Amino acid sequence: MEFGPIWRALLRNKGGAILIALQIAVTMAIMVNSIAIMQERATNMQRPSGMDEANTLTFASISFAADADLRATYINDLEMLRNTPGVINAVGTNSFPLRGGGWSMGLQTEPGEDMGGVGAAIYFGDEHMIETFDVELIDGENFSPEQVVFLDPDNFRWEPYVIVTEALAKTLFPDEEGSVVGKTAYINQNDPVQIIGVIDQLQAPWQGWDDVEHALFSPVKRAEGFARYVVRTEPGMRDELLPQLEEMLASADKTRLIRGAQTFDEVREGAYLGDSAMIKILGFVITLLTIITGLGIVGLASFNVSRRTRQIGIRRALGATKPAIMRYFMLENFMISSVGVIVGGALAIGLNIFMVETFALTPMAWWVVPVAMIILWLVGQAAVAGPARRATRIAPSIATRSG
Amino acid sequence: MLKMTDVSKIYRTDTVETHALREFSLTVDEGEFVSVTGPSGSGKTTFLNIAGLLEEMTSGTYELDGRDISKLNDRERSRVRNEKIGFIFQSFNLIPELNIFDNVDVPLRYRGLNAAERKRRIEESLDMVGLASRLKHQPAQLSGGQQQRVAIARALAGEPRFLLADEPTGNLDTHMADSVLDLLSEINSNGVTIIMVTHELTLADRAKRNIFVRDGQVTDAAPEFLRAANG
Amino acid sequence: MFRYYLKLGALSIRANPALSALMVAAIAIGIGACMTIFTIQHMMGSNPIPHKSAQLRHVQMDSWSDANPYNDGANPPIQLTYTDARNLLAAEQAVRQIATFKSGRIVEPEDPDELPYTVSGRATSKDFFAMFDVPFKYGSAWDAAADLSEEFVVVISEPLNERMFGGEDSTGRRITMNGDTFRIVGVLDTWSPVVKFYDLNNNPHEPVEDTFFPFSTAMANEYGNEGNTNCWKPPEGGDRAAFLNSECIWIQFWVEIPDQAAETQYMNYLDAYVEQQKELGRFPRPLDNRLPDVEEWMILNEVVDDDVSVLLGLAVLFLIVCLLNTIGLLLAKVMRRTKDISLRRALGASKASLFSQYIIEAGMIGVAGGLLGIGTTWLGLLGIRNLFNRFDFVEKLTHMDWSMTALAIVLAVVSALAAALYPTWRACQVTPASQLRIQ
C-alpha cells in the first residue's frame, strides 16, 4: 500500500476527489478566518478595564425640577453612599470604562492651533476616583481636596491639574525616561494642564477606540442635572448593595430619578455584546460546517466502498489483510485532505488579506492555519474510518462470484 | 431490413488499439430469425451494440429499414432505438425500483404516447408473455424466467420491427430457456425480425439462419470443433 | 413527461433516503446561514422611505479645519453648526427644511404619587412630519406660528400616548417635561422605520422618539443635545452662547428637493452662502457642499455593520461548501446508477431526456431544501434575536418578510440546479451499451 498507486488511482477518477478537496479547501478558508476573528474578539474582551469589576456598580441620577439644588444633591448623595457599610468608596463622574459614551479631548505638548494632538478620554471627579476605580497611582500624587472644584456651567474652563494613565504619558512624552510628573500638556489647544500623578492603567469609555488606554482624571465635580455615580463595594457586597443604594438615593430626594442601575459585569456584557455574539455565531458556523463536510466525506467514502466492492474482494482474495484495506482508504482520504488543506491554506490567507483590507480586521495569528489543517485532517480521517471499516468486512469470496 | 457493409470498430486506449470488427458485412432480411455465435472476444457483442445503435462504428455503412444510420445525431439515434428496436438482455436489466407495469412503460414514455395508448400496449404485451396478472409486482418478486418475460414484454410493447437478444437465456435454467425461446419463435412468426447473439450452438439452432463471427468478421460456418464441443 | 420525471425523481429520492436527506439538509443549512445574515443585512440597509428617499437630502458643508480636514478630507462633516443650521432654516430656500437634534426629557405625571420617567425627545421644525411622511393618529403637526414664537407644543408617539392616556385622543391635553408644560397637538400613528434615517449619529436602528417639539422652543429654553458633538476648535468662552457661536457641529439638517432644478437652485444657494461665510473668516476648507439623499446618507453613515458584511461573506462561502457537498453526493448517486442510465439510453432515452430527468430530480431536492431552508432561516433569526435580546430594535432586523421567504426558495432551487449541472452532464456521458452486460 503506497502513495503512488493510490495517487494514480485517484487521478484516474478525479471528479469525486476534487469535489471533496474543494469542499475541504473552502471549509478551511471559512474556519481559518472565523477562528482569526474569534481570536481577535476574545483578545479584545480579555483586556482589563482597569477597574475592580467584580465589586463595582453604577447608576445615574437625573434631576428634572427646575429649581433643584444640584450641588446639594450631589454632595448629599456621595456622602450617603460613602457612609454606607460595605461601600469602599464612591465617586460622581461623567463616564467610566466600557460605557460606550463619554468625552474625549486632544492633548498636545505645545500650545497652539492646528497641532493635531493625542486623543484622551476625560473622567471628571474628585480625589476619590483613584480608590473607587481601583487604579494604582504609580507616580506623583492624588488630587488634594483644594484642587477639586465644582463645574460652572456658565463659565467652563479646564482645571490646571490632571492625573494621566501611564499609556497616555508615554504617548505624550515618548522620549522622557524619568518622571513626567510636573510636566505640562495643553488641552483644548491652549489651556495648560500640569500632570500631578500617573496611574497604571484605565480604559477609555469606548472599547473599540484606537486610543483606548488614553485616559485622564480632571478634578471637576459635575453637579449638573445628570450625575453618574460609580460605587466600589467590599468583595461580595455588590449584588446586595445595588438595590439598597438605589432605593436609598431615590427616597432621599424626589426631585430626581435614579436610572441605569447596573453592576459592572452587566456593563461589560453590554459593551462586548457584539463581540461575544460574533464569537458564538462563528463558533456555531464552523461546528456546523465541520459536521457537513464530515458527513459529505462519509457519504462519498461509503459510495466509493460500495462501488469498489468487487475490487476490494479481489484484493482480499489476492492476500490483502484487513488493515491493508483500511489503510488504503485512510491514506486515500489523507491525500485528498492534504490537497484540500493546502489549497485551503492559500484561500484562507487570501481571504484574510482581503478582510483585513476591507474591514480593518487584525491580521490573523500564524498558528491558525496549521491548527485548522490538523482539525480538517482529523475530521477527514474520522469521517472515512466508518466506511473504511465496512470495506474491511467485504468477503474475499466476492471475487469468485460471476458478474 | 438490416444491411451492414464493411463496418469496422476500433477501440483505442492510450497504448492499445483493438479491432473489434473488421470490414464486417451482413444483410438480414425482414422476418428472419438470425443467430450470431462466436467465441469470446470474437466481436459479437460489438456487432450487437452497433446493430442496436448503442455504439457508433469507426467506419463502414449501416442501413436499417432502408435508412442510413451512420449520420444520425444522438436524438435521432435515440428515436430509432426507441421505435424500431427491442432489446433483450442476458441479465434482464429490469429497473428494480419500478414495478412490472412501470418497467414496460419506460420505452413508451420516451416515445411520448398518451396514457391510454401506453396502458393498452403494456397490458397487451404482458398478456402475450403470460404475465398480465403481475402488473403491480416488483421485479425482485419474480423468478428469473418471469423477469426475462417482462423484459421481452418491454421490448415488444414498443412494437419494434426488430428484436435484438443478447444471450437471452444465459441466466436461466434449461426449462425456462426453452419457454423463452418458444416465445421468441412465436414473436418471429408474427413478422418481427430477430437477431440473437449467443455462444450456445444448441440455441443457435433454433434460429432460421446461423452467422458465425470470428476475429471481427463473418465466416460462413462454425468450425467443427466448436460444434462438437457444444453439442 | 414532466410528471413522469417527477415520479422518477420521487422514486430515486426514496431509494436513497440517507443520501437524499443529507443533500436536502446540506442545502437547507446553507440556505439558512445565507438567508439569516442576508435578511439582517437587507433590513439594516433597507430604504425606510423608498417612495421619497431621492427627494430627501441631508445638507453637508465643509466647515472644518484646514489643517486637520474632517475624515481626512474624504467627505464634509456629517452635521451642521448651530450658526449654519439657523441661517439655512431662516433662508427657507428649499420647499421644506428642518434642523433637528435629539434631547431626552423627563415626564412629570400630574398625579404626584406617580414617579417621573424618562422619554426620548427630538427638537425639530414643523416640516419634519410632512417631509418624512410621518403618519398621525390624532391631530397634526404644529404650525409655522408655533415655530416662530417658540411655543410649548408637542407631538407624542403612539406608545407614549398609550402609556399616558390609554390610547385616547389626547390632543389639547397637557404634559409637563423638565418643568415645562407642553400642549399636545398630535399623536403619531404606528411609525417604526427600520432605519432611523433622519439621525444616524448613534444607533441607526433605535425606535423613533417619544416626543417631538419645536427646535426654536428647545433652543430658547437651552435644551441639551444628546447626540454627538464634534469641535475642531474650542468655543471662545465657557458659556452656552459661546458654544452656540462655535464651530462645533451637532445639528442634523434636511431639505426636501423635488427635482433636478430645485437641486441646482439649492446648490447654488449653498455655494453662495459658504462664499459669504468665507468672507466672514469661516469655512477655511475649499468649497465642498453636498446633498446626499437618504440612501447615500445611509451608505455614508455605514448603517450596515461591518460584522454583518463579514458574516454575509462567510455565509456565502458556507453555502458554497454545502453545494460542493451536494455536487459530490449527486455525482455519487449518478455513478451508482450508471446501469439504469445505460438501460434507459438503450430503450430510447435521448441525452436531453436524461438531462431533464436528473435536473428535475435535483430541482425537487432544491425545493425540499428551500422549504426546509425557510425553517432553518427562521431558526437562525431566532438565534440572533436571542443573542441580542437586550436590544428591542433587533426584532425589526430579524424579521423575515415575503420577499426574503421567496428568495430563500429561489436561491435553494437555483443552487440545487447549479449543483446538479456537473453530475447531470456526467450522467449524459454514460454510453448506452456500457453497463448492460454485467449484472
Side-chain angles (χ1 to χ4, degrees):
Chain A
M1 225 39 83
E2 283 139 353
F3 283 90
I6 301 178
W7 182 250
R8 285 193 292 277
L10 271 179
L11 285 185
R12 253 173 280 127
N13 205 342
K14 296 191 272 287
I18 288 178
L19 283 170
I20 297 229
L22 267 180
Q23 199 178 334
I24 290 174
V26 182
T27 300
M28 168 124 170
I30 300 175
M31 187 182 269
V32 164
N33 282 282
S34 299
I35 294 177
I37 295 171
M38 289 163 77
Q39 200 244 342
E40 180 195 13
R41 303 301 166 93
T43 310
N44 277 350
M45 290 175 70
Q46 278 158 9
R47 290 173 308 180
S49 65
M51 302 188 58
D52 179 15
E53 291 186 23
N55 302 304
T56 300
L57 57 90
T58 175
F59 41 76
S61 160
I62 311 167
S63 302
F64 52 88
D67 53 352
D69 185 346
L70 300 173
R71 288 189 189 184
T73 306
Y74 182 92
I75 292 167
N76 260 337
D77 284 351
L78 281 172
E79 198 177 309
M80 278 193 293
L81 289 172
R82 286 170 187 156
N83 289 335
T84 305
V87 170
I88 292 180
N89 209 337
V91 74
T93 181
N94 59 316
S95 187
F96 45 77
L98 301 180
R99 196 179 80 79
W103 191 345
S104 80
M105 290 298 296
L107 256 69
Q108 51 206 59
T109 48
E110 300 288 336
E113 289 181 16
D114 302 338
M115 306 274 291
V118 174
I122 316 290
Y123 294 124
F124 295 103
D126 57 17
E127 68 276 14
H128 297 279
M129 272 194 291
I130 286 183
E131 192 181 18
T132 309
F133 281 20
D134 191 32
V135 289
E136 192 190 340
L137 189 67
I138 56 173
D139 195 5
E141 49 197 50
N142 194 358
F143 299 125
S144 67
E146 299 75 46
Q147 287 168 336
V148 182
V149 300
F150 271 106
L151 175 129
D152 177 0
D154 293 327
N155 188 17
F156 180 81
R157 61 186 183 88
W158 289 94
E159 289 306 306
Y161 309 104
V162 291
I163 295 171
V164 299
T165 60
E166 194 181 12
L168 177 57
K170 286 224 164 83
T171 314
L172 274 174
F173 302 101
D175 303 324
E176 179 59 56
E177 297 189 354
S179 174
V180 299
V181 171
K183 285 190 170 288
T184 299
Y186 296 85
I187 197 165
N188 206 14
Q189 296 179 351
N190 291 312
D191 300 345
V193 288
Q194 190 188 15
I195 296 172
I196 63 159
V198 178
I199 54 173
D200 56 346
Q201 187 253 332
L202 188 67
Q203 284 187 334
W206 314 274
Q207 56 97 352
W209 194 35
D210 290 342
D211 296 326
V212 68
E213 296 298 341
H214 288 177
L216 64 78
F217 289 159
S218 179
V220 176
K221 292 187 276 194
R222 294 184 55 176
E224 297 157 284
F226 191 92
R228 200 174 295 282
Y229 297 124
V230 175
V231 181
R232 184 172 162 219
T233 68
E234 304 274 1
M237 298 291 286
R238 182 193 67 188
D239 295 346
E240 189 184 323
L241 281 172
L242 181 66
Q244 191 186 322
L245 296 177
E246 198 181 348
E247 172 59 28
M248 179 178 80
L249 293 197
S251 54
D253 179 352
K254 299 218 185 267
T255 65
R256 55 90 182 277
L257 286 177
I258 299 295
R259 295 262 302 175
Q262 51 185 345
T263 66
F264 219 83
D265 289 341
E266 289 166 326
V267 171
R268 168 169 284 275
E269 199 187 308
Y272 286 110
L273 188 68
D275 292 315
S276 69
M278 196 75 172
I279 289 176
K280 285 176 197 158
I281 293 171
L282 290 174
F284 182 68
V285 161
I286 56 180
T287 310
L288 207 59
L289 195 59
T290 310
I291 292 172
I292 289 178
T293 301
L295 285 179
I297 295 173
V298 172
L300 279 180
S302 306
F303 161 71
N304 273 334
V305 168
S306 68
R307 196 174 57 156
R308 289 190 216 153
T309 301
R310 199 174 148 77
Q311 191 211 103
I312 295 163
I314 294 170
R315 280 176 193 278
R316 294 278 284 128
L318 295 176
T321 59
K322 286 189 173 195
I325 299 290
M326 185 92 185
R327 207 159 54 231
Y328 183 98
F329 283 97
M330 302 297 272
L331 263 178
E332 184 186 66
N333 174 271
F334 181 78
M335 288 180 191
I336 297 172
S337 298
S338 299
V339 173
V341 295
I342 288 165
V343 176
L347 269 183
I349 292 168
L351 183 62
N352 192 256
I353 291 173
F354 171 77
M355 296 219 292
V356 167
E357 282 179 1
T358 315
F359 300 112
L361 300 181
T362 317
M364 64 182 166
W366 66 270
W367 53 262
V368 181
V369 171
V371 163
M373 279 185 170
I374 291 168
I375 292 175
L376 286 171
W377 262 318
L378 291 178
V379 167
Q381 295 287 293
V384 88
R389 199 163 309 118
R390 221 170 310 132
T392 64
R393 288 200 285 267
I394 290 170
S397 61
I398 286 251
T400 58
R401 272 178 223 155
S402 70
Chain B
M1 175 76 211
L2 174 149
K3 188 171 182 216
M4 283 186 184
T5 315
D6 293 337
V7 169
S8 294
K9 177 70 185 181
I10 302 169
Y11 292 106
R12 288 195 180 87
T13 65
D14 291 344
T15 48
V16 193
E17 210 173 70
T18 312
H19 292 258
L21 289 182
R22 308 161 187 266
E23 296 173 355
F24 183 98
S25 298
L26 176 68
T27 307
V28 176
D29 291 328
E30 180 121 29
E32 274 200 281
F33 187 165
V34 180
S35 77
V36 178
T37 53
S40 197
S42 61
K44 57 183 193 295
T45 303
T46 307
F47 159 72
L48 186 88
N49 285 344
I50 289 174
L53 273 62
L54 297 175
E55 268 181 56
E56 294 185 39
M57 54 202 170
T58 314
S59 65
T61 58
Y62 173 21
E63 276 177 34
L64 185 68
D65 211 10
R67 190 168 176 198
D68 185 0
I69 298 304
S70 42
K71 304 216 164 42
L72 301 184
N73 65 22
D74 178 77
R75 181 178 286 273
E76 290 159 337
R77 292 167 67 86
S78 299
R79 182 108 264 197
V80 172
R81 274 203 301 276
N82 184 267
E83 292 179 357
K84 300 218 160 126
I85 306 170
F87 286 98
I88 302 167
F89 305 98
Q90 175 177 1
S91 50
F92 325 138
N93 283 332
L94 299 181
I95 297 174
E97 299 103 80
L98 301 180
N99 65 26
I100 302 310
F101 185 94
D102 285 339
N103 259 289
V104 179
D105 190 29
V106 170
L108 304 181
R109 288 279 188 168
Y110 292 120
R111 192 175 296 188
L113 300 174
N114 67 40
E117 174 67 10
R118 292 202 316 270
K119 186 162 185 289
R120 183 187 68 74
R121 288 191 182 206
I122 294 164
E123 284 170 355
E124 233 176 66
S125 57
L126 279 171
D127 192 41
M128 171 151 189
V129 301
L131 288 170
S133 59
R134 304 290 179 92
L135 291 181
K136 298 287 169 203
H137 284 61
Q138 297 293 319
Q141 294 171 295
L142 302 182
S143 72
Q146 286 170 324
Q147 289 191 40
Q148 190 60 301
R149 282 161 180 276
V150 174
I152 292 171
R154 181 173 67 187
L156 291 178
E159 294 174 0
R161 306 279 308 280
F162 180 39
L163 208 57
L164 279 174
D166 179 17
E167 302 279 10
T169 60
N171 284 7
L172 301 176
D173 63 31
T174 325
H175 176 69
M176 284 182 177
D178 273 345
S179 73
V180 165
L181 281 170
D182 290 343
L183 190 55
L184 288 182
S185 297
E186 191 189 333
I187 292 163
N188 178 243
S189 65
N190 289 343
V192 178
T193 310
I194 297 182
I195 296 181
M196 176 172 71
V197 171
T198 179
H199 65 278
E200 282 185 61
L201 293 177
T202 47
L203 284 187
D205 286 343
R206 298 283 296 261
K208 292 176 185 162
R209 175 150 77 108
N210 293 339
I211 307 281
F212 193 80
V213 183
R214 188 174 192 183
D215 293 335
Q217 289 186 310
V218 179
T219 54
D220 290 337
E224 284 307 315
F225 72 89
L226 236 176
R227 191 168 286 277
N230 274 286
Chain C
M1 252 355 231
F2 183 71
R3 280 180 55 195
Y4 183 56
Y5 293 138
L6 282 183
K7 182 178 159 188
L8 291 181
L11 269 172
S12 157
I13 288 167
R14 231 178 296 146
N16 301 288
L19 209 60
S20 305
L22 190 53
M23 282 190 279
V24 169
I27 291 177
I29 290 170
I31 295 293
C34 265
M35 290 308 298
T36 300
I37 307 298
F38 187 69
T39 300
I40 292 169
Q41 200 226 22
H42 167 79
M43 295 309 276
M44 265 188 168
S46 69
N47 187 340
I49 181 163
H51 56 286
K52 208 180 174 184
S53 63
Q55 299 171 32
L56 301 174
R57 310 298 189 86
H58 196 281
V59 174
Q60 278 184 289
M61 301 192 283
D62 201 342
S63 61
W64 218 245
S65 148
D66 207 22
N68 296 297
Y70 189 87
N71 198 11
D72 295 327
N75 57 277
I78 54 170
Q79 297 192 95
L80 261 55
T81 63
Y82 174 67
T83 309
D84 296 324
R86 190 191 52 204
N87 290 340
L88 262 51
L89 204 55
E92 288 191 357
Q93 290 292 309
V95 178
R96 292 186 175 113
Q97 49 257 303
I98 58 149
T100 179
F101 66 94
K102 189 173 158 183
S103 182
R105 304 281 91 197
I106 293 174
V107 174
E108 298 156 53
E110 284 175 14
D111 180 353
D113 292 339
E114 220 182 306
L115 280 176
Y117 51 89
T118 56
V119 292
S120 52
R122 172 158 299 276
T124 187
S125 333
K126 74 164 174 57
D127 281 348
F128 178 92
F129 307 94
M131 238 173 123
F132 298 141
D133 277 354
V134 183
F136 276 86
K137 191 170 186 183
Y138 305 117
S140 63
W142 56 84
D143 53 20
D147 272 336
L148 273 178
S149 49
E150 299 159 3
E151 283 177 33
F152 286 103
V153 287
V154 66
V155 169
I156 64 174
S157 69
E158 190 186 28
L160 183 62
N161 189 52
E162 196 67 40
R163 174 173 182 171
M164 293 186 71
F165 305 106
E168 283 174 28
D169 182 354
S170 59
T171 51
R173 299 183 65 166
R174 310 272 154 179
I175 168 172
T176 303
M177 301 189 293
N178 297 62
D180 300 325
T181 299
F182 287 80
R183 178 170 53 89
I184 297 171
V185 294
V187 176
L188 298 189
D189 208 339
T190 307
W191 188 45
S192 101
V194 179
V195 181
K196 203 185 81 177
F197 59 96
Y198 54 82
D199 181 2
L200 298 175
N201 268 302
N202 301 107
N203 175 3
H205 303 289
E206 68 184 7
V208 301
E209 286 77 9
D210 284 321
T211 59
F212 299 83
F213 34 82
F215 182 78
S216 56
T217 312
M219 294 311 300
N221 295 281
E222 303 193 356
Y223 288 4
N225 171 34
E226 236 174 59
N228 294 350
T229 302
N230 280 290
C231 312
W232 59 275
K233 73 176 179 193
E236 287 163 5
D239 59 357
R240 184 167 168 92
F243 172 72
L244 295 184
N245 275 323
S246 73
E247 291 295 340
C248 295
I249 54 166
W250 57 286
I251 293 173
Q252 303 93 51
F253 197 93
W254 288 88
V255 290
E256 186 170 331
I257 302 282
D259 52 32
Q260 184 63 47
E263 180 173 356
T264 312
Q265 193 195 338
Y266 200 77
M267 266 307 215
N268 290 340
Y269 161 69
L270 280 184
D271 290 350
Y273 171 77
V274 173
E275 290 299 344
Q276 176 207 340
Q277 292 295 313
K278 276 175 181 286
E279 279 172 25
L280 298 173
R282 297 182 62 223
F283 288 85
R285 297 261 305 149
L287 193 68
D288 185 6
N289 298 326
R290 300 188 194 180
L291 290 172
D293 66 15
V294 172
E295 290 197 329
E296 290 162 344
W297 189 238
M298 281 163 57
I299 290 166
L300 181 68
N301 283 277
E302 295 173 354
V303 295
V304 177
D305 194 284
D306 262 3
D307 276 1
V308 176
S309 305
V310 169
L311 284 176
L312 186 62
L314 292 178
V316 169
L317 287 178
F318 191 125
L319 180 62
I320 289 175
V321 171
C322 293
L323 291 186
L324 286 170
N325 194 58
T326 307
I327 297 175
L329 296 174
L330 278 175
L331 188 64
K333 211 165 158 181
V334 164
M335 292 293 112
R336 192 180 285 179
R337 286 166 60 193
T338 46
K339 201 180 138 196
D340 182 281
I341 295 165
S342 172
L343 174 69
R344 286 183 180 275
R345 293 281 281 137
L347 296 177
S350 62
K351 285 184 184 181
S353 44
L354 271 171
F355 186 85
S356 311
Q357 179 189 336
Y358 278 85
I359 281 292
I360 286 171
E361 185 178 329
M364 291 168 73
I365 288 177
V367 170
L371 290 175
L372 197 59
I374 296 171
T376 52
T377 306
W378 186 79
L379 282 178
L381 291 172
L382 192 70
I384 300 278
R385 245 194 318 259
N386 279 332
L387 282 180
F388 290 94
N389 59 3
R390 287 169 72 118
F391 298 124
D392 291 341
F393 71 86
V394 172
E395 185 87 28
K396 284 192 288 192
L397 299 182
T398 52
H399 173 68
M400 193 183 184
D401 59 17
W402 281 111
S403 64
M404 290 292 113
T405 308
L407 186 63
I409 296 189
V410 170
L411 187 61
V413 173
V414 169
S415 307
L417 294 184
L421 281 181
Y422 175 66
T424 304
W425 179 78
R426 286 284 297 263
C428 293
Q429 299 312 302
V430 173
T431 53
S434 59
Q435 304 286 323
L436 298 177
R437 295 217 85 202
I438 296 169
Q439 171 78 330

